[in-house]
Amino acid sequence: MNTFENLEVWFVTGAQLLYGGDAVIAVDAHSNEMVAGLNAGGRLPVKVVYKGTANSSKEVESVFKAANNDSRCIGVITWMHTFSPAKMWIHGLQQLRKPLLHLHTQFNREIPWDTMDMDFMNLNQSAHGDREFGHICARMRVRRKVVVGYWQDEDTQRRIAVWMRVCAAWADAQDTLVLRFGDQMNNVAVTDGDKVEAEQRMGYHVDYCPVSELMEYHARVKDEEVDALVGEYFRLYDHDAALEDAGSAAYAKIWNSAKAELALRAILKDKGAKAFTTNFDDLGQTDGSHFDQIPGLASQRLMAEGYGFGAEGDWKSAALYRSVWVMNQGLPKGCSFLEDYTLNFDGKDSSILQAHMLEICPLIASGRPRLEVHFLGIGIRKSETARLVFTSKTGTGCTATVVDMGNRFRLIVNDVECIEPKPLPKLPVASALWKPMPDFETGAGAWILAGGTHHSCFSYDLTAEYWEDYAEIAGIEMVHINKETTLGGFRKELRMNEVYYMLNKALC
Ligand code: MN
């Protein structure tokens, strides 16, 4: 199913009755044409629905209240065709709870030099109408995205499309349950945080689920279902022919992995969860139903299906990955949970190997993943373990994490470039190799200064603009490490933000 299919973004045109009913009729006709054009452009992932002109405080309030209460509506676009005195927007904006995009555009592209008269001027006033509206948003501290550009232009529509994808992820986050099988890895600080605040600020609800309950699902998985899933693995992934020998120990490991996947998917579906975490020290009791190995292959495949995932109890990464996956729908190169694994000092090409003991999403694979079974000597049950092995595509991307600073959440974003790795014959795990922008020393240095995790949520297709929109909607801090970053400037930004968030209690 298309994740965006049943969603809508509402388009509300600001006008007023000063210029008479004919003007409003013309505004309405222009707005209809623009909305039809936006939808026909093929660039917007979510349908735009025109909701008419708003000519008074009552009309604004009414349409914004309706937006709040309509679950299909994930955001509202406003545009002032004529001058729209902004006091009439106050009551509505006080109540609007959906993300807002203010589009500063104009129905006509160019000035009609030869024919323009005062009637035309009165009708086509977005040049100052949008400034009046911008003022009231600024005065009221309304969080919003401002997009400036001609409505038919590709870049204008691209920026609206970015915001729409973020709105879809935002709506999804308000209904996201993260299930934690096992707790946080003991003693780890950066992946922990305030779950109550996370739900208030970003929407994600985080619950604990005893592994014993997961094992009840595990015990109920039917052998025929497992056989069928193992068959699917062999069809989908490259593998040694010997793995198909049903009497072999390696086959048993793959079979048990498939059973773990079926158990996890069943409990996630049953509980309506969209994300989950695991902990390698909590795999069920050996005297009952239990996982014989870390369910890494299951996590890899469930991530590709859209389930958020965080290893070692990292619920913030699990939640954020789910949002990344939603934003990434239909985009070409994919996304994954990743971990800073080990460093490669190589002058200006210094890089960081991104991997995990198992759990990397195959959506970022450069080719067909390979199904392999190898010993994994970590966790409560050290064992031969099935996994998908691949290296990632090359190219630029963007990685993100959220950390809890105690008085606020900080979203840290880093532009990166995935480069060609060398073969790793003795490390059979999925991996990516990247250079953080602007260079290894500055990128990694800034990330560490900001308190960023070793886990992050990566995508080739998303850019910092997505994260700016996300942080604006959530009202959380965002810092972006990019080609322009200097450590001095970045430190200053962190210090200024500290003051800003201390003073601006509403955002803490
Ligand atoms: Mn980890």
Side-chain angles (χ1 to χ4, degrees), residues 70-88:
D70 192 320
S71 60
R72 287 165 305 182
C73 173
I74 58 168
V76 176
I77 298 175
T78 52
W79 166 59
M80 307 303 120
H81 190 312
T82 68
F83 195 70
S84 176
K87 288 181 188 172
M88 80 179 208

Side-chain angles (χ1 to χ4, degrees), residues 173-397:
Q174 307 316 302
D175 180 37
T176 285
L177 165 64
V178 183
L179 275 192
R180 304 165 73 225
F181 299 111
D183 203 335
Q184 220 75 20
M185 182 177 168
N186 284 340
N187 277 315
V188 177
V190 74
T191 59
D192 217 329
D194 184 339
K195 301 186 205 69
V196 178
E197 190 64 20
E199 183 160 349
Q200 288 185 67
R201 191 57 70 186
M202 294 174 285
Y204 311 109
H205 179 81
V206 186
D207 269 346
Y208 167 65
C209 182
V211 178
S212 58
E213 194 178 347
L214 168 58
M215 288 308 145
E216 289 169 19
Y217 286 78
H218 188 247
R220 287 198 293 269
V221 174
K222 295 193 177 64
D223 287 359
E224 310 85 79
E225 293 175 80
V226 183
D227 293 339
L229 186 55
V230 171
E232 187 182 322
Y233 291 174
F234 289 142
R235 279 194 301 280
L236 284 174
Y237 310 119
D238 288 345
H239 58 279
D240 283 342
L243 287 182
E244 294 194 39
D245 173 2
S248 70
Y251 180 90
K253 285 294 169 185
I254 291 169
W255 197 90
N256 288 339
S257 283
K259 185 169 179 175
E261 177 183 326
L262 290 163
L264 277 162
R265 187 180 292 103
I267 194 170
L268 292 169
K269 282 208 162 134
D270 223 24
K271 294 192 178 280
K274 297 176 189 167
F276 69 105
T277 68
T278 56
N279 184 318
F280 54 70
D281 274 332
D282 199 348
L283 301 174
Q285 298 297 313
T286 25
D287 56 357
S289 177
H290 64 271
F291 291 153
D292 67 328
Q293 60 198 298
I294 296 173
L297 174 57
S299 302
Q300 290 185 288
R301 285 173 42 85
L302 288 165
M303 259 191 272
E305 250 172 71
Y307 287 101
F309 173 78
E312 297 106 42
D314 183 355
W315 53 271
K316 292 201 301 310
S317 288
L320 203 65
Y321 174 79
R322 166 69 191 185
S323 292
V324 168
W325 183 87
V326 171
M327 293 185 226
N328 221 95
Q329 282 314 282
L331 300 178
K333 288 183 81 178
C335 53
S336 181
F337 166 85
L338 285 170
E339 176 175 288
D340 294 304
Y341 226 47
T342 195
L343 310 177
N344 189 46
F345 287 100
D346 182 20
K348 67 173 179 45
D349 285 324
S350 291
S351 56
I352 312 172
L353 184 73
Q354 300 292 318
H356 206 262
M357 52 186 112
L358 300 165
E359 302 95 340
I360 304 300
C361 178
L363 290 176
I364 64 167
S366 64
R368 207 159 114 114
R370 191 171 172 80
L371 179 63
E372 297 185 18
V373 177
H374 300 281
F375 184 75
L376 183 62
I378 193 163
I380 192 142
R381 214 151 284 136
K382 297 166 183 51
S383 164
E384 293 287 322
T385 305
R387 78 281 303 273
L388 295 176
V389 181
F390 54 85
T391 52
S392 79
K393 302 173 187 87
T394 55
T396 55

